[in-house]
Amino acid sequence: MKLHAIKLVLLFAWCLLPLSLTADDVKVTVEIDDVDRLRAKTPIKGVITILHEEASKVDIGSFSIDGKPLKVEFVKDVKLSSDSSAILSSYRFTLEGKSKGIYLLPKILVHVGDNDFITVPFTYTVSNDPSAVKQNSGNPSTPTVGSSSTDYLELKASVEGSKTLYLGQRAKLIYVYSFVGNIHLSEEQLPMLDAKGLKKIGDTEIKDYESNGIGHHVVSQEVEATTPGVYTYGPSYITGFSSYQDPSGKLFYSKKLLRADADAMTITVKAIPLDGRPLSFTGAIGSYTFKVELASPPVASSGEKISLKISVAGNGALDDLKLPDLCCQPGWSGVFKQSDLPPSGFVHGDTKTFIVDVRPLAPSITEIPPIEFSYFDPVAEKFVTLKSAAVPLKVNVPKKSEKESSPKLPEPAIKAKEPAPIISKPPLIEISGNMPLEPKDLHNVIFGTWWSLLAFPIGAAVIIFQVNLRRYLKVQAAKIKLKNGDEWFADALKETECTPAFYHALYRAFFYRLVEIGAIASTNITPEALPTTGISGKVREFLCSLEEKRYAGKDIPSKKAIVEEARNLFMKIGNKP
Amino acid sequence: MTSSNFVKCALAFVFIGVFIIVVWLFQAHNDMEQLHEAYQKYVAGERASTIAERQKEFNAALSIYTQMETAHTPTFSNGKLYYNIGNTYFQLEQYPWAILYYSKAQSLMPRNDSVRHNLEVAQSKLGIVLEKSNSIFSNYLSFPEKLQMCFALALFLLAVISLNVWYPSRLLKYAICIVAMASIVLLGNLVYSFYLAPINGIIVRATTLYRDAGEQYAKAVDKPVMPGSKVQVIDVLHKGTWLKIITPEGNLGFIPNTSIRMIGVS
């Protein structure tokens, strides 16, 4: 039982399988060549494409259209991939040409494998004009298997408005690309969009549309004339390549470069003439109409606010349009009072509306006087002055209650306002007061300048001086110990006995004295080394005799005798030369 | 040299000395009169009952004070003149200039509370927050005072070394080392203050901070450098017509020299 159920399931699945194959793997489509460019009485050619399994053969004799056999010609089989058994088979067919009109391509039947398949019908249009016919719905737009002979590209440059502008006037510079087919632009030279010498207003606008099978790409730029002169833009051109797709969707580019040129455009900007310029001209250029009407009741009290609605309609630039000063217009000065701020106005369509608030100053007023508005007509090249009609107005004397309720207004002869009170009282002092100064406060503080740093080098010099001075004094102190002969002799006399110090001092005395007189050169000498002649010889004899006796130890004379003899000899040596 | 010549020379020196003293006394007297007049004008301005009279008196006082400043350039003075000028500018509501002169006065009188208070008030008028100084030296000693200390240390060093020369002793040697080290530290501080410390200036007129030295360059920041701000000057270009500065917010840029005045030695 269980096995039987399994077999049934498998059988069912096996039956479904072919259906699934046929449902998913066979697709039949039909395309008409140049479907958007079909001419009357011209045979209609097309392609039937069948996607099927390799095993499911297409019966070439089974093609039929609207129940009638359709002769087809085999084109090719294309295997989609090496891993798949699916094949794309193409068959061409030809139908008789038809006259101008809209037709339905009926379903086409074909036998593939064990089943019949049909295409979806769709409409097509045949026209007499070689220009493209708008493609109908029913079939999504199919890629056209086109050729370069059907490609079309055109460029036009134009100016919306006049090519002669006056200062402040606006115009629109336009480029229109017209094309047929898929064009890929490679270069665009559009000098008009730069608008050198003119002022660009807003961004560049782009608009696309199709008309009679021709695509249009419109690029425009609004400009305003700001500087007088002659401005030439161009010539302009665009270039590109057309492209097309084959049934598999692959994109091909035509080798032929398409180019479209547009002539140069010249725009002349003129200055608005000064001669004959009316006082009420505020810069409006174009052609306008002017209307003034009361926006409040026609009855008011003196000093009460009334509103005027001033409408200016025209073809000029309304955004910058200004009203003339009403205060300077005839019949306004001293009669009506206006707000100090000028009305800004609002634009709606081709009309700009101003709401102006004024106050009648006297009960004698019976109308709103005509208001003059002037503009410059660039076509006629002259100023045009418009005057609005007078608007009737009744002004009452203000009643007491009205006086109390209405805001206080000045008399017709407006009095000058009193000047605002001057805040004369100075503010409180927030800071500490000044210090009384003395002349010393104007000068640098003592030793507070860079000169005070000289103390270091000067001090160093003083220290160096002191060091050297000390050294010198030391040397001098050592020198003081050197005595002369008399001093040595005096030292010898000081000795009480004939001590070695006595003899030493005595010898020194004689040696120093001899040096002083130049008899000998140095005091570093012994008695034996003294010269033997002259006074030096006598000294030698004396000192040697004394030495002998002294070292012999006998016949040593007394100190008194030695001193006396030495004195006599010393006296004989004499003074220094 | 004969005695008569010596007498003549001595007389000439005496005469020159007397002449110099007379001129100095005359100048001092003249300065005294002007200072007195300026002070009177200032006090009259404080007592003025109307704004017009107040401005007139303060302007007269300011005129005298600025003449004194130009004539004497008291860069190393006690700072009182700058303080008075700052007060006068404050009274005339010229707060950036008041801040400038208060800053100059503060650099010369760092311990003076009146200067600090008035500077704070002036800065508060412009919404500027007073910044604290990082150096203890600059908080306590002015530059001239440091120089005076240097001089005193030099003299003391000279005395100690001289003593050591004549009466060498170990104690004196220690004293020399200590005084020498103190002198080196103070000299180092002076060198740093003058050469290495940032140069500061006060913006006296609001200016754009440019990316480079020229008005054709873009702004470094959108907000202008506000008057009264203390900025650090790091470079001078185009012969002093443009200065490279760092603002208190840390922005680096260039300003024209007409918008700034230097405070002076720090």
Side-chain angles (χ1 to χ4, degrees):
Chain A
M1 189 70 179
K2 199 174 179 181
L3 185 63
H4 184 67
I6 292 170
K7 283 180 184 174
L8 276 175
V9 168
L10 285 174
L11 181 63
F12 180 70
W14 178 252
C15 291
L16 284 179
L17 186 59
L19 286 174
S20 67
L21 279 177
T22 53
D24 292 337
D25 295 344
V26 178
K27 283 182 185 163
V28 183
T29 55
V30 61
E31 298 158 5
I32 293 178
D33 297 349
D34 295 332
V35 68
D36 50 353
R37 233 177 274 117
L38 295 173
R39 291 186 194 179
K41 309 296 182 189
T42 303
I44 297 169
K45 296 182 181 178
V47 174
I48 300 170
T49 309
I50 303 171
L51 177 65
H52 61 99
E53 289 293 312
E54 192 174 6
S56 304
K57 298 292 181 190
V58 176
D59 184 359
I60 196 169
S62 65
F63 284 91
S64 66
I65 182 168
D66 204 17
K68 297 172 187 172
L70 174 65
K71 188 179 175 186
V72 298
E73 181 186 341
F74 174 74
V75 177
K76 61 181 175 182
D77 278 341
V78 177
K79 199 164 177 167
L80 290 184
S81 71
S82 55
D83 298 333
S84 169
S85 58
I87 291 176
L88 192 70
S89 300
S90 302
Y91 299 88
R92 293 201 68 84
F93 66 90
T94 304
L95 300 175
E96 284 181 5
K98 296 185 184 297
S99 53
K100 181 182 171 183
I102 298 174
Y103 298 91
L104 176 71
L105 184 70
K107 56 190 178 184
I108 296 174
L109 185 139
V110 61
H111 190 81
V112 181
D114 298 325
N115 296 295
D116 289 336
F117 298 91
I118 56 173
T119 62
V120 178
F122 62 89
T123 58
Y124 61 92
T125 306
V126 176
S127 77
N128 285 331
D129 195 295
S131 304
V133 173
K134 194 169 180 184
Q135 188 169 343
N136 291 315
S137 61
N139 210 20
S141 61
T142 55
T144 306
V145 182
S147 65
S148 59
S149 61
T150 59
D151 298 327
Y152 169 72
L153 183 65
E154 189 186 17
L155 178 67
K156 283 182 189 166
S158 61
V159 177
E160 187 181 290
S162 172
K163 289 186 188 175
T164 300
L165 304 173
Y166 282 87
L167 289 177
Q169 209 175 349
R170 293 183 182 181
K172 196 174 264 191
L173 309 177
I174 301 171
Y175 280 108
V176 180
Y177 304 11
S178 301
F179 59 95
V180 173
N182 294 323
I183 310 288
H184 295 264
L185 293 174
S186 56
E187 193 180 355
E188 295 173 89
Q189 282 293 330
L190 307 172
M192 213 162 62
L193 294 180
D194 293 331
K196 284 183 181 173
L198 303 174
K199 179 184 169 186
K200 290 188 190 178
I201 306 294
D203 294 327
T204 303
E205 291 178 3
I206 296 175
K207 193 171 74 170
D208 292 296
Y209 68 93
E210 193 176 322
S211 169
N212 293 330
I214 299 178
H216 300 281
H217 179 75
V218 182
V219 182
S220 62
Q221 173 68 56
E222 190 176 11
V223 295
E224 183 178 307
T226 55
T227 311
V230 178
Y231 305 96
T232 301
Y233 307 103
S236 316
Y237 67 89
I238 54 174
T239 60
F241 296 92
S242 64
S243 68
Y244 54 94
Q245 280 179 320
D246 65 5
S248 64
K250 192 175 176 183
L251 197 65
F252 292 91
Y253 287 97
S254 168
K255 289 183 182 175
K256 182 185 172 187
L257 177 68
L258 300 173
R259 181 183 169 115
D261 292 274
D263 294 333
M265 298 296 298
T266 300
I267 294 174
T268 306
V269 177
K270 293 183 181 178
I272 299 171
L274 292 171
D275 292 338
R277 188 182 288 200
L279 291 170
S280 55
F281 175 73
T282 54
I285 300 175
S287 180
Y288 297 91
T289 59
F290 183 66
K291 186 175 164 190
V292 175
E293 51 194 348
L294 213 53
S296 57
V299 179
S301 301
S302 174
E304 187 183 345
K305 186 174 83 174
I306 59 173
S307 297
L308 297 178
K309 181 181 169 188
I310 302 176
S311 306
V312 182
N315 58 0
L318 294 173
D319 293 329
D320 298 331
L321 187 79
K322 291 177 210 165
L323 276 184
D325 290 328
L326 299 183
C327 63
C328 309
Q329 303 248 348
W332 281 83
S333 177
V335 181
F336 291 90
K337 186 180 184 305
Q338 270 181 273
S339 166
D340 291 333
L341 296 173
S344 56
F346 55 91
V347 178
H348 182 71
D350 64 347
T351 304
K352 187 166 186 178
T353 305
F354 299 86
I355 303 296
V356 180
D357 293 330
V358 297
R359 294 178 190 273
L361 300 177
S364 56
I365 296 168
T366 58
E367 63 179 15
I368 303 286
I371 298 174
E372 191 176 291
F373 172 78
S374 299
Y375 64 89
F376 182 78
D377 187 344
V379 175
E381 294 191 343
K382 63 175 184 179
F383 290 98
V384 176
T385 299
L386 305 174
K387 265 192 179 174
S388 66
V391 178
L393 178 68
K394 186 172 170 26
V395 180
N396 297 325
V397 174
K399 294 177 185 173
K400 275 189 183 178
S401 58
E402 286 175 349
K403 273 188 187 173
E404 286 166 1
S405 60
S406 64
K408 286 187 181 176
L409 296 167
E411 296 297 323
I414 299 170
K415 290 181 186 172
K417 287 182 186 177
E418 283 185 13
I422 297 169
I423 304 170
S424 61
K425 191 177 177 185
L428 296 174
I429 297 170
E430 300 173 74
I431 55 171
S432 309
N434 263 10
M435 300 177 187
L437 297 180
E438 293 172 4
K440 68 177 177 66
D441 298 320
L442 301 176
H443 305 290
N444 297 329
V445 297
I446 188 163
F447 302 126
T449 62
W450 289 109
W451 292 108
S452 59
L453 292 182
L454 285 177
F456 285 98
I458 292 173
V462 169
I463 290 164
I464 293 169
F465 171 75
Q466 287 180 87
V467 168
N468 287 328
L469 178 64
R470 188 158 185 268
R471 199 175 294 155
Y472 171 78
L473 291 174
K474 265 188 185 174
V475 168
Q476 287 299 106
K479 276 187 184 175
I480 286 167
K481 288 182 183 174
L482 295 174
K483 302 171 187 175
N484 58 17
D486 291 330
E487 288 168 348
W488 280 113
F489 197 82
D491 285 345
L493 293 178
K494 284 178 189 173
E495 298 293 329
T496 53
E497 297 291 334
C498 294
T499 59
F502 166 76
Y503 288 108
H504 176 75
L506 190 66
Y507 289 10
R508 292 283 104 194
F510 278 107
F511 292 152
Y512 272 87
R513 177 49 62 87
L514 288 174
V515 167
E516 286 164 13
I517 65 170
I520 59 174
S522 170
T523 57
N524 288 329
I525 198 169
T526 59
E528 293 79 14
L530 287 171
T532 55
T533 56
I535 193 65
S536 302
K538 290 183 181 173
V539 170
R540 181 177 182 274
E541 188 181 337
F542 171 69
L543 293 178
C544 287
S545 154
L546 202 59
E547 283 285 295
E548 280 180 24
K549 289 175 184 174
R550 183 181 162 207
Y551 285 110
K554 56 181 182 179
D555 295 332
I556 301 172
S558 64
K559 178 179 178 283
K560 188 178 174 183
I562 295 171
V563 167
E564 193 175 336
E565 191 178 351
R567 186 180 282 125
N568 291 334
L569 187 58
F570 210 74
M571 298 288 279
K572 280 183 185 175
I573 294 174
N575 295 328
K576 297 176 192 174
Chain B
M1 195 179 192
T2 59
S3 59
S4 62
N5 285 338
F6 178 78
V7 169
K8 284 178 188 173
C9 283
L11 281 173
F13 276 116
V14 168
F15 177 75
I16 291 168
V18 166
F19 177 76
I20 290 170
I21 290 169
V22 166
V23 167
W24 179 77
L25 284 172
F26 176 78
Q27 182 66 34
H29 176 72
N30 197 28
D31 288 341
M32 192 68 211
E33 277 190 352
Q34 284 195 298
L35 290 172
H36 183 71
E37 184 188 351
Y39 184 74
Q40 293 299 324
K41 293 284 182 190
Y42 184 89
V43 171
E46 282 181 326
R47 293 173 185 163
S49 54
T50 63
I51 293 177
E53 186 186 340
R54 176 192 181 103
Q55 287 195 342
K56 182 184 162 194
E57 298 295 348
F58 282 134
N59 273 319
L62 180 65
S63 174
I64 297 171
Y65 281 136
T66 48
Q67 275 177 24
M68 294 280 107
E69 187 202 1
T70 307
H72 297 281
T73 55
T75 314
F76 295 98
S77 67
N78 54 16
K80 289 183 181 177
L81 178 63
Y82 290 134
Y83 172 76
N84 285 5
I85 294 175
N87 277 353
T88 318
Y89 271 121
F90 184 96
Q91 301 288 16
L92 291 169
E93 297 178 2
Q94 297 294 318
Y95 301 119
W97 289 93
I99 291 171
L100 171 69
Y101 278 94
Y102 284 143
S103 301
K104 284 178 182 257
Q106 194 179 43
S107 70
L108 296 172
M109 295 192 287
R111 301 178 298 281
N112 191 299
D113 290 334
S114 297
V115 175
R116 196 184 69 253
H117 169 258
N118 290 5
L119 178 60
E120 281 175 10
V121 175
Q123 286 176 330
S124 68
K125 290 289 186 186
L126 297 177
I128 295 169
V129 177
L130 181 66
E131 56 183 46
K132 300 288 180 190
S133 174
N134 295 328
S135 167
I136 55 166
F137 278 107
S138 63
N139 271 348
Y140 200 74
L141 290 175
S142 66
F143 197 79
E145 284 172 339
K146 290 179 197 172
L147 286 169
Q148 285 179 320
M149 265 188 71
C150 256
F151 182 79
L153 278 174
L155 284 184
F156 189 61
L157 197 59
L158 173 64
V160 172
I161 293 175
S162 299
L163 269 176
N164 190 61
V165 166
W166 298 107
Y167 306 102
S169 95
R170 187 175 292 181
L171 189 65
L172 284 173
K173 284 189 173 66
Y174 287 145
I176 289 169
C177 288
I178 291 168
V179 175
M181 276 170 56
S183 301
I184 289 168
V185 168
L186 195 55
L187 276 173
N189 182 265
L190 280 174
V191 168
Y192 171 81
S193 297
F194 195 76
Y195 290 104
L196 300 176
I199 301 171
N200 293 316
I202 299 291
I203 301 294
V204 295
R205 194 168 67 192
T207 177
T208 304
L209 190 67
Y210 296 93
R211 288 195 182 277
D212 209 327
E215 290 182 359
Q216 68 274 22
Y217 292 99
K219 298 178 194 175
V221 290
D222 288 331
K223 202 176 165 187
V225 187
M226 300 309 291
S229 306
K230 186 175 177 182
V231 300
Q232 183 183 335
V233 179
I234 55 177
D235 201 359
V236 178
L237 297 97
H238 301 325
K239 298 180 183 174
T241 54
W242 283 85
L243 285 80
K244 189 175 182 181
I245 66 164
I246 300 176
T247 66
E249 294 82 18
N251 297 314
L252 181 69
F254 296 80
I255 59 168
N257 65 345
T258 51
S259 308
I260 185 172
R261 294 291 184 274
M262 304 300 174
I263 293 174
V265 291
S266 54

